[in-house]
Structures are given as structure tokens and as C-alpha cells.
DNA sequence: CTTATTACGGATATTTATTATCCGTATTTA
DNA sequence: TAAATACGGATAATAAATATCCGTAATAAG
């Protein structure tokens, strides 16, 4: 079981967008080139982020993407769920119903308490999501700023600016 | 992203084995029939559990599987990792190295601190595993005993006994 | 000793998910 | 009007999950 690499791409792209001056934008093409990842395929991830309301895209030349709200109000969970879906990592297929002496499955429309096995897995899933929800893009930016050499940060920012004005 | 259903099967099979009297065994064939799942494919999951030292299989007629140690010493994490692998759900492909102005990747043999994005994902992964590790098969058995009707429990046990003596 | 039953492991097929590309449309700036 | 962009649909390529088959070795029972 593995998250798709859309997740990694989306997180890194959002990290870049979080460092962007207000009212500036970066087109998908540049985000792809910056990270050395396939442009067309990255677009799908960005579109997912956009339709989830995390980033906002504008058309036309000078168009591109920017964060749709403040970095402090975007969590890792928001991004992961936008790209990966909100479905749980463990899916219960109710194999208890297949046992020779099983309780009757609930009537259509009615629900039943999940089985004990599923509940443990769901709780673990919840712990995972809970941690992702506790970290925002603002937190990430603070960490990056602290541990990535200024030379690297400035270098990449300048590369972006140069490309956008070319 | 979704766990394979080997995980669900393995957990339910271990749950059944945990309720088994000491020194009794259940063959893969019966475990599959009991849960209504494909026998040959379930075997792969059981073999994974076996080679991880969670269950132990014996050959020959009257052979089959039993837990390799006490239910209180087998955690959900043990089972999940046995069938799903110990690999992390998030894999970092180090796309930071692709940036135009990147730090040099470490020399072969040397390591580097994972990037800030990866660390958050790793911590979430750790939270997930930590919860799975906190629940044992003994805990599960206690819950099952409390909430599954006695009629169902006895019915399935009798079905098993009858099949094994047939 | 023979036979039936079992775990185990290798090989292979089938199905589904992920990864990736291509292209047409609508929108916007210059 | 032309160039650049996001967006969405369609499709292809690759990898992973799901499933089956079969040969081998071990073991209990007749």
C-alpha cells in the first residue's frame, strides 16, 4: 500500500506556492519544470487541488496557480485528501456475513455497528489523519525557512522570477 | 490508496485462531471456507503470517495453522506488517534534488535528513502504526466476546469442529 | 509401505489502479 | 487577433493487486 506520488508533488507545489508573494501566480508548466516532474500529469493533481478549493487557477497569459487561502488555514490533510480521496485506507468487506452462523445483515437502508476488526483499523486511520490535520502549510514554511540554506531558497525564487518574465 | 484485502483476511483468521483451544489447528482450506474467501489466495496471506512468526503451520493430515504465541503478544501491527510489508505509506522520491538550485545529494553511503514534507508524512505514518501496535489479539477477543451473540460464537465453533472431524 | 492430507513455494494469468500523454475547449492578457 | 493558460475528456502504458495452478516435501493414519 502506497500513496500515489501525486501526494508528494501536491505537497511540494503547495509549499512553493506558500512562499509566493500575495497576488502572484505560477503556471503548472513552471511548477513541473521546477520539480522535474511530468507536466501533463502534474496538471491532474493541481486540478484536484483546485476543485477542492485549496489552490485557485486563473486562465490566460500571466495566469497560473496560487493558494486559495492563507497557508495557516491549509493542512496536510486537506492536500492529501484532495489528491488521494477521502476514502479510508482499510475497507471492510463484511466477511463476517459469510460465516456459516452469522447474524443477519441489516435491512437495506439500516446500518450496523462496524465489526471489531474494522473499528481498530478505522481508529488507526483516524490517528493518521489527525496528525496530518495538525500540520499546516505555515508550519511547513517555518521549518523550511529554518533548515534550507538561504542560498538555495533565493536561488530557486530567482529562477522562478526569471522564467516568469521570459 | 487502499490496504489489500489480505489484511482484512489475516486479521479475521487470526481472530478465529485466537479463540481456538491450545494445541488445536485449523487448515487453510477451512479458514477460507469459513470466511467465504478464495482458498489458494488466502494461503499466500497465511504463509506470510507464518514466515513472520505470527502463526505456525504443520504438515500432514490433522495439520493446519495455530497462533505461534499468546494472543496478548500479537498486535494488529504485527499482522498488518506481515502481509502488507513494513514499507512506509509515503515514499519520498527526493524531488527537491531536481530543483534548479538544489543542495548536492549526499555522497553514496552517506545519508541526509529527510525533507520537511517527508518528515510530516513519516510522523503521520508513525501515528498510524503506533495505534495498530497498541491493540493485541487478546484485546480484540475480549471485544468480540462482549458484543457478538453467544449463539453465533458457539455456532461457528461447532461448524468448525464438525468440519474438522468429517 | 502406501495413501490421503497438509503447508509451502514457484510460475502464471486476470483484473484493477496508477502513471502518463494527448488533444479540444473556454478564458484571458497583450 | 494571437498566444498562453486552466480545465476536462479520452486513451495508452505500466505497475500492483487479485487469483489460480501445480509440483514438492512432510506427516498422520490405515
Amino acid at each position: 500500500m502506497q500513496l500515489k506520488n501525486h501526494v508528494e508533488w501536491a505537497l511540494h507545489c503547495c509549499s512553493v506556492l506558500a512562499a509566493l508573494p500575495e497576488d502572484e501566480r505560477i503556471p503548472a508548466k513552471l511548477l513541473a519544470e521546477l520539480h522535474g516532474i511530468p507536466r501533463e500529469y502534474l496538471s491532474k493533481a493541481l486540478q484536484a487541488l483546485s476543485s477542492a478549493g485549496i489552490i485557485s487557477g486563473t486562465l490566460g497569459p500571466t495566469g497560473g496557480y496560487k493558494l486559495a487561502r492563507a497557508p495557516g488555514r491549509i493542512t496536510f490533510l486537506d492536500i492529501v485528501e484532495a489528491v488521494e480521496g477521502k476514502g479510508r485506507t482499510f475497507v471492510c468487506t463484511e466477511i463476517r456475513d459469510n460465516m456459516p452462523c452469522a447474524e443477519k445483515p441489516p435491512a437495506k437502508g439500516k446500518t450496523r455497528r462496524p465489526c471489531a476488526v474494522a473499528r481498530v483499523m478505522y481508529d488507526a486511520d483516524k490517528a493518521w489523519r489527525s496528525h496530518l490535520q495538525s500540520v499546516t502549510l505555515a508550519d511547513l514554511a517555518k521549518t523550511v525557512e529554518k533548515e534550507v540554506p538561504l542560498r538555495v531558497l533565493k536561488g530557486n525564487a530567482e529562477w522562478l522570477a526569471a522564467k516568469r518574465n521570459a
Side-chain angles (χ1 to χ4, degrees), chain A:
Chain A
M1 179 201 50
Q2 206 172 312
L3 290 161
K4 27 189 185 190
N5 45 18
H6 269 172
V7 171
E8 184 184 19
W9 299 351
L11 288 169
H12 280 274
C13 285
C14 284
S15 173
V16 169
L17 292 178
L20 200 67
E22 183 68 31
D23 80 348
E24 285 194 19
R25 300 166 175 283
I26 307 179
K29 188 181 172 184
L30 276 193
L31 284 171
E33 197 179 343
L34 176 66
H35 293 110
I37 54 186
R39 178 220 146 108
E40 300 274 9
Y41 191 33
L42 172 64
S43 281
K44 301 298 182 188
L46 295 174
Q47 284 169 33
L49 289 172
S50 173
S51 78
I54 293 167
I55 64 180
S56 88
T58 50
L59 298 176
T62 78
Y65 290 103
K66 66 163 197 165
L67 293 186
R69 53 180 190 269
R73 293 180 50 236
I74 299 175
T75 69
F76 270 59
L77 183 63
D78 294 330
I79 297 167
V80 169
E81 287 191 337
V83 163
E84 186 70 42
K86 291 178 191 270
R88 286 195 266 233
T89 57
F90 179 84
V91 294
C92 173
T93 62
E94 296 288 356
I95 59 179
R96 59 177 167 176
D97 291 340
N98 301 333
M99 301 231 232
C101 182
E103 299 185 67
K104 294 259 183 289
K108 209 174 168 185
K110 299 205 171 184
T111 60
R112 180 175 43 166
R113 192 181 191 190
C115 80
V117 166
R119 290 207 306 276
V120 173
M121 298 305 290
Y122 291 165
D123 286 347
D125 195 274
K126 212 181 283 180
W128 181 69
R129 290 184 145 78
S130 169
H131 187 270
L132 291 180
Q133 195 169 29
S134 75
V135 184
T136 70
L137 283 183
D139 299 327
L140 176 65
K142 209 181 302 174
T143 305
V144 167
E145 205 173 338
K146 210 183 321 178
E147 68 186 23
V148 176
L150 199 61
R151 173 184 56 79
V152 172
L153 291 178
K154 281 182 78 171
N156 287 326
E158 279 164 17
W159 179 91
L160 265 178
K163 279 282 182 176
R164 293 198 311 130
N165 299 332

